[in-house]
Amino acid sequence: MTNLDASLREQVRVLGEGLGRTMSAALGEEFLELVESIRHLSKQVHQGEVAPQVLSEALNNLKDEELLPVARAFTQFLNLANAAEQHYRARERVVEDYRRGEQPGFSRLLEALQEQGLSSRQILEALSQQQVELVFTAHPTEVSRRTLIQKYDALDASLYQYENTPAEKNREPVLRRLEELIAQAWHTDEIRSQRPSPVDEAKWGFAVIENSLWQAVPAYYRALDQQIEQLTGETLPLDAAPIRFASWMGGDRDGNPRVTARITQEVLWLSRWMAADLYHRDIDQLRSELSMHQACEKLTNRVGPVKEPYRVLLGQVRERLRATLDWLKAHLDGQPYDDERILFDADGLREPLMLCYESLCEQGMQIIADGLLRDILRRLSAFGMNLLRLDVRQEAPRHEQALAEATQFLGLGNYADWDEQERIRFLLSELDNPRPLLPVSWPCSDETREVLDTCQVIARERADALGAYVISMAAQPSDVLAVALLLKTAGVERPMRIVPLFETLADLDRAPKVINGLLSLPWYQDYTAGRQEVMIGYSDSAKDAGQLAASWAQYRAQEAVTQVCAKHQVHLTLFHGRGGTVGRGGGPTQAAILAQPPGSVQGRLRVTEQGEMIRFKFGLPALAERALEVYTSAVLEATLAPPPAPKPEWRELMNRLADDAVTSYRALVKDTPDFVRYFRQLTPEQELAKLPLGSRPAKRKASGGIESLRAIPWIFAWTQVRLMLPAWLGSDEALLKAIDQGESAALREMIEGWPFFASNMDMLEMVLAKVDLASVEEYEEALVVEELKPLGRKLRSRVQLLMEKLLEVREQTQLLEQVPLTRQAISVRNPYIIPLHQLQAELLARVRACESGENCPVDVNPVILERALMVTMAGIAAGLRNTG
């Protein structure tokens, strides 16, 4: 494919023309001509026909009242282009971007595995036992409001109609509907008036399931079963679920004071209510379909001699679901409710459904059994009665504080002052002690009370409603045992998965020692029952050490932890905390999974799907089906045909690259006195806090330097100005040094033969393709003081040189030469993003002038300026997609 598909170009054109008519109707033909003139100028800038300053001057001359509508015009076009591309990807089943000819297919993988000598029985067993859990998180990278997302999703159905209405005369109703949706979007504020609450975020996650995954999951299993049956003559067992779903929305309290025990409990109830409601609708439909009268003896004995036994049994199931819904609503309203018909677990729903299934098959009606009934059973295996299992996440220092208060209250000293061995002795002693550590009510700080209240919510909940208890900033075995003791203190009588998260470079290097220390404790071995989960963090490690060094540290940590668990004969599940951007572990799913160390997957994987990437991968049923297929295929391949271990000489070179990269990265970010000033002057980092993206604060602390800033806004800010610094800084000097030392051939060999290194270079290439040095220069001219501009020139020179050298190593003439869809998608959007960059630079200058009280015109409206600024942030994020 050398050009974007003609139908995609046609749909972008139709949507663009519809937006033009909408803007003309709302603001007049003169405004539309203004927007068109800016777009034409931007296109000329992009093609190198005019200097960027010409466009900059045109935007600087805009009247205050024109700033917001112009920003909205370009933002809306980018959102519509995204909607068209989503539709195209769903139609073509291209959920992610692959190199030419590399889009993976499940049937091709099955053939390849057989060619490698694997039997059909081995493949079926591996699939049946596969445990992949996708964990949805609500990190603040989804800029678009949910109400607008629904309108863009509605465009998908209309675009489908447009494609399937070839006659021009019959397209009028479709075009009218498209324009109606465009007008609805235009007349809707694209910026939230306030931050979403954690409950709002959870409801957004539920909506993705209701509107897309509820349809996609059974469709995905039907396709999977068909291919497996062709290979083996069998299908997956109905209770098998190679892919399941979990969530952090409402459970992730690390640095988010708005997530409380009460919120977690409410989200758990809402999640269960949503599941019961969806099953209630399914059973209603199934009951109307199963009107047949032939039934097996077991079913007849169950319902008696009735004319329509399936409907009678399903009527009872429907009443149980209705009672469950009433019970959950009463809980949410704070009211008591009791009913013996309540369905507490999936088995209560599965048993009558399986009875119907077996009866239909026995009576020669398998074709009916394999319709909606089979789909519901597949949903039950994937979603259970809780829709999403909820993880709880809290930082280790909060647990230490709670235990320090407890030991002081009990007169045992201060836990916080004890060394690691003393802590472990105390924790193991208390974990073995049958008496509670503390009385039910004891005087403690609000922070500690919140930790204990959260543990009590866990104690009250069923195990199948919850996922893991994730400990961020975990640094030693006692951090894990501390959570076990706090859970025991709250009355949790069952083992819960306690998952240490290793994220900084130091923590990643320490990870194998921590896990070995834990698994060497007999009490802990018994507690885990031979299963250990470890979370690998991507965001903070990249912010701490730079992308290349962090990626290598993550790889080495996974290798070492895998070896430690094998030594202790413990089943390991690695939990990858990936985001949408390269700086947070983002990238195509297949490449990322196959880039893991050999032996580290073994049929088990947990991975976060964050922010806007949930919508891009799972927002439409056809996209979601493809995403699920990619996960299944990649994990199966990594399990049965893992990549070879890297050669010793590759490891040696990678060690040198990582050492050089982290030294270079930290020399700028941490050791250059003017760097933070430059960063805050150039980017909208300070202003980003005003954009109500998610429930979490933008900073861990109200003030501070780079260390206090969360990884998401750190990356988001650099993306806004198109320097993309977190993804390449450090990598540049490391790669250039290797090339200067004659290692080009070795680098090419590593790209060809080592999926880990190839994936890193692919992601680096993608990020560099999104760099726009002309826009960076415009930001500098408008916002950065003269004394800091040499630093900016140095950075632009560094990234320019990296682009040239990477092309040389890859033996290409242009970036993304092998990934044309991505390259052209960036190119198509650039004429619409460039005006937003220049407009944002001008707005930042005006907003900062007004805030400082200098050079602020008396007639300027700061509210309009700030709103226009926020719209440019949303537009740039929409145009670049993987922003945070």
Side-chain angles (χ1 to χ4, degrees):
M1 186 194 324
T2 56
N3 291 295
L4 285 176
D5 190 278
S7 65
L8 174 56
R9 290 188 179 280
E10 166 71 4
Q11 288 167 14
V12 171
R13 180 191 64 78
V14 167
L15 295 177
E17 289 177 356
L19 177 61
R21 288 190 292 272
T22 297
M23 292 190 299
S24 179
L27 297 167
E29 190 65 28
E30 191 177 331
F31 175 75
L32 180 59
E33 289 173 3
L34 172 65
V35 170
E36 279 299 301
S37 69
I38 294 171
R39 185 180 73 86
H40 183 65
L41 263 180
S42 179
K43 200 167 185 180
Q44 289 179 306
V45 169
H46 180 54
Q47 292 170 347
E49 296 170 6
V50 302
Q53 291 78 5
V54 178
L55 176 60
S56 179
E57 287 171 14
L59 293 169
N60 292 351
N61 289 330
L62 289 174
K63 301 170 188 172
D64 282 347
E65 63 269 20
E66 292 172 332
L67 293 170
L68 181 57
V70 167
R72 295 191 71 232
F74 286 94
T75 294
Q76 285 287 10
F77 178 83
L78 289 164
N79 281 322
L80 294 175
N82 279 347
E85 188 180 323
Q86 287 284 91
H87 175 80
Y88 171 84
R89 286 174 177 273
R91 189 194 70 195
E92 299 295 320
R93 293 175 59 77
V94 184
V95 68
E96 293 178 334
D97 299 326
Y98 308 97
R99 290 185 165 272
R100 205 177 262 116
E102 279 191 1
Q103 186 173 349
F106 190 68
S107 56
R108 275 182 289 173
L109 171 63
L110 295 181
E111 292 170 9
L113 291 174
Q114 284 188 305
E115 288 169 5
Q116 292 178 41
L118 288 156
S119 69
S120 57
R121 171 54 49 188
Q122 285 174 299
I123 295 170
L124 181 61
E125 285 180 1
L127 261 179
S128 301
Q129 295 166 15
Q130 185 171 294
Q131 296 178 27
V132 176
E133 197 161 42
L134 307 181
V135 185
F136 289 173
T137 75
H139 284 304
T141 55
E142 175 54 88
V143 175
S144 299
R145 289 179 61 198
R146 183 175 157 190
T147 186
L148 279 171
I149 290 169
Q150 290 167 342
K151 298 184 196 306
Y152 301 139
D153 287 349
L155 284 170
D156 181 70
S158 294
L159 289 172
Y160 181 82
Q161 283 183 282
Y162 181 84
E163 282 179 330
N164 290 277
T165 312
E168 198 69 39
K169 62 181 180 181
N170 297 330
R171 281 180 165 178
E172 187 56 39
V174 182
L175 289 168
R176 181 170 179 80
R177 175 57 177 161
L178 282 168
E179 200 159 322
E180 178 190 349
L181 290 166
I182 291 166
Q184 288 179 14
W186 175 260
H187 290 287
T188 299
D189 284 344
E190 49 272 276
I191 305 298
R192 302 180 183 99
S193 57
Q194 57 188 18
R195 286 187 181 276
S197 70
V199 173
D200 292 333
E201 292 173 330
K203 287 179 178 177
W204 179 81
F206 302 158
V208 172
I209 293 177
E210 179 183 10
N211 298 331
S212 178
L213 281 166
W214 201 251
Q215 292 75 45
V217 163
Y220 148 76
Y221 277 114
R222 280 196 297 272
L224 192 63
D225 276 336
Q226 186 178 11
Q227 293 174 82
I228 292 295
E229 193 168 16
Q230 288 173 355
L231 176 73
T232 68
E234 301 179 54
T235 60
L236 282 175
L238 285 175
D239 60 351
I243 296 187
R244 303 189 187 206
F245 303 90
S247 174
W248 277 13
M249 304 179 198
D252 180 11
R253 60 240 314 120
D254 177 18
N256 191 348
R258 301 180 72 189
V259 179
T260 63
R262 184 186 62 78
I263 290 293
T264 296
Q265 181 65 80
E266 182 179 353
V267 168
L268 283 162
W269 286 334
L270 281 170
S271 184
R272 193 176 298 179
W273 189 95
M274 190 75 220
D277 184 55
L278 288 168
Y279 288 126
H280 188 272
R281 290 182 234 170
D282 277 357
I283 297 300
D284 228 19
Q285 183 184 345
L286 182 64
R287 187 173 177 273
S288 72
E289 290 187 8
L290 298 191
S291 54
M292 50 292 309
H293 63 274
Q294 302 101 322
C296 68
E297 183 180 352
K298 187 176 179 182
L299 177 54
T300 304
N301 292 339
R302 176 84 160 260
V303 299
V306 293
K307 189 176 180 181
E308 296 177 332
Y310 300 96
R311 283 184 167 174
V312 171
L313 180 58
L314 291 172
Q316 295 170 4
V317 172
R318 185 176 62 178
E319 289 308 306
R320 293 195 69 184
L321 285 166
R322 182 72 259 165
T324 304
L325 286 166
D326 291 342
W327 168 66
L328 289 163
K329 185 176 186 305
H331 268 312
L332 289 163
D333 293 341
Q335 302 296 322
Y337 186 92
D338 192 25
D339 191 317
E340 62 182 14
R341 297 172 299 172
I342 295 168
L343 280 167
F344 290 105
D345 57 40
D347 290 341
L349 182 54
R350 183 184 302 280
E351 185 273 330
L353 293 178
M354 282 303 300
L355 179 54
C356 289
Y357 186 87
E358 290 161 1
S359 176
L360 287 167
C361 291
E362 185 180 310
Q363 297 300 310
M365 295 180 279
Q366 182 158 353
I367 191 170
I368 298 173
D370 285 340
L372 176 60
L373 175 54
R374 188 184 184 90
D375 286 352
I376 298 172
L377 285 164
R378 288 296 192 201
R379 286 170 179 146
L380 195 57
S381 296
F383 298 110
M385 286 301 293
N386 303 286
L387 204 66
L388 294 163
R389 290 173 182 249
L390 188 66
D391 281 4
V392 171
R393 181 167 77 134
Q394 182 58 279
E395 57 188 16
R398 291 291 295 275
H399 307 133
E400 180 188 274
Q401 177 188 342
L403 287 172
E405 291 183 25
T407 54
Q408 288 175 301
F409 171 76
L410 295 169
L412 300 175
N414 188 343
Y415 176 88
D417 294 336
W418 299 348
D419 64 24
E420 177 65 4
Q421 288 309 309
E422 194 173 359
R423 289 184 181 193
I424 288 176
R425 279 195 299 272
F426 165 76
L427 292 166
L428 290 176
S429 171
E430 289 299 329
L431 284 164
D432 269 333
N433 198 322
R435 62 149 174 75
L437 174 66
L438 295 158
V440 175
S441 179
W442 60 285
C444 62
S445 67
D446 291 344
E447 291 84 358
T448 292
R449 177 55 56 197
E450 181 57 44
V451 169
L452 296 173
D453 286 350
T454 299
C455 292
Q456 285 169 359
V457 168
I458 293 170
R460 290 192 297 267
E461 275 297 326
R462 296 182 58 86
D464 58 2
L466 295 157
Y469 194 118
V470 179
I471 312 167
S472 54
M473 301 170 67
Q476 48 203 4
S478 62
D479 289 331
V480 175
L481 298 178
V483 172
L485 180 57
L486 289 168
L487 290 171
K488 172 181 176 282
T489 300
V492 180
E493 297 177 351
R494 61 185 183 274
M496 183 179 186
R497 280 183 291 149
I498 304 173
V499 180
L501 163 56
F502 301 104
E503 188 144 16
T504 67
L505 216 58
D507 287 344
L508 287 165
D509 289 341
R510 194 186 300 117
K513 183 180 178 183
V514 172
I515 298 303
N516 186 59
L518 276 168
L519 296 178
S520 299
L521 301 171
W523 182 92
Y524 188 74
Q525 275 267 22
D526 291 343
Y527 182 84
T528 60
R531 295 189 177 276
Q532 178 63 50
E533 189 172 317
V534 174
M535 185 168 183
I536 302 296
Y538 289 73
S539 303
D540 282 351
S541 53
K543 185 164 73 75
D544 171 47
Q547 171 60 25
L548 190 65
S551 184
W552 181 229
Q554 291 148 11
Y555 187 96
R556 292 197 324 269
Q558 290 173 67
E559 274 187 320
V561 167
T562 299
Q563 291 164 4
V564 166
C565 288
K567 182 184 78 171
H568 289 279
Q569 298 182 313
V570 166
H571 294 281
L572 171 67
T573 299
L574 285 166
F575 182 5
H576 299 268
R578 300 172 69 223
T581 53
V582 173
R584 301 184 57 240
T589 298
Q590 187 211 29
I593 292 172
L594 296 178
Q596 304 308 312
S600 67
V601 177
Q602 293 297 313
R604 297 177 298 275
L605 182 77
R606 288 189 101 214
V607 61
T608 53
E609 288 289 358
Q610 302 188 351
E612 82 278 13
M613 299 313 295
I614 295 173
R615 176 162 58 100
F616 293 152
K617 287 186 183 178
F618 305 102
L620 297 175
L623 283 176
E625 282 180 55
R626 178 63 183 143
L628 297 175
E629 181 187 0
V630 169
Y631 265 112
T632 303
S633 301
V635 171
L636 185 66
E637 184 176 355
T639 299
L640 296 180
K647 296 178 181 178
E649 58 267 31
W650 294 352
R651 299 182 70 93
E652 185 182 334
L653 178 52
M654 193 64 223
N655 282 328
R656 295 203 305 273
L657 287 169
D659 288 345
D660 291 339
V662 72
T663 300
S664 169
Y665 177 89
R666 288 178 173 169
L668 183 80
V669 171
K670 299 191 175 181
D671 300 335
T672 301
D674 288 334
F675 176 75
V676 172
R677 278 182 67 211
Y678 175 79
F679 166 58
R680 294 203 157 123
Q681 286 185 24
L682 180 77
T683 74
E685 180 261 330
Q686 299 286 306
E687 291 79 8
L688 182 61
K690 299 173 185 175
L691 190 60
L693 294 179
S695 66
R696 185 192 300 278
K699 289 185 177 182
R700 286 186 168 89
K701 300 172 185 174
S703 62
I706 297 300
E707 292 76 11
S708 70
L709 191 68
R710 289 194 170 274
I712 294 165
W714 161 248
I715 293 171
F716 196 107
W718 286 112
T719 305
Q720 288 282 303
V721 300
R722 292 294 284 277
L723 189 53
M724 320 296 280
L725 178 139
W728 60 262
L729 186 66
S731 302
D732 63 322
E733 292 192 345
L735 288 169
L736 294 178
K737 184 176 177 181
I739 291 168
D740 288 343
Q741 292 173 347
E743 300 282 13
S744 293
L747 292 173
R748 290 189 193 104
E749 187 183 70
M750 288 162 70
I751 291 171
E752 286 298 315
W754 189 10
F756 162 77
F757 192 71
S759 176
N760 269 276
M761 293 301 101
D762 284 348
M763 291 303 97
L764 178 61
E765 185 179 353
M766 185 272 289
V767 167
L768 292 177
K770 291 189 176 183
V771 169
D772 182 12
L773 294 178
S775 290
V776 178
E777 197 166 354
E778 288 292 318
Y779 279 97
E780 282 189 4
E781 284 302 312
L783 301 167
V784 177
V785 297
E786 204 61 38
E787 66 189 87
L788 297 181
K789 286 181 181 176
L791 176 55
R793 286 194 290 272
K794 180 181 177 184
L795 289 173
R796 294 200 304 279
S797 174
R798 283 177 64 168
V799 74
Q800 181 69 53
L801 183 58
L802 175 59
M803 290 178 190
E804 294 167 5
K805 291 297 183 181
L806 186 63
L807 288 174
E808 184 183 305
V809 168
R810 305 207 76 149
E811 300 176 313
Q812 295 175 188
T813 58
Q814 60 181 330
L815 294 169
L816 299 181
E817 197 171 277
Q818 298 296 317
V819 195
L821 179 59
T822 306
R823 185 182 75 247
Q824 293 186 46
I826 294 169
S827 179
V828 166
R829 284 172 170 80
N830 264 336
Y832 299 89
I833 306 176
I834 288 170
L836 288 173
H837 287 305
Q838 299 207 0
L839 195 55
Q840 185 179 89
E842 174 63 21
L843 285 162
L844 282 168
R846 295 189 193 187
V847 166
R848 290 173 184 177
C850 287
E851 286 178 347
S852 67
E854 300 173 8
N855 304 318
C856 182
V858 291
D859 59 342
V860 87
N861 186 335
V863 175
I864 291 178
L865 289 182
E866 285 199 357
R867 183 156 192 80
L869 177 59
M870 287 192 282
V871 171
T872 65
M873 291 181 189
I876 293 167
L880 294 174
R881 290 171 66 101
N882 52 345
T883 55

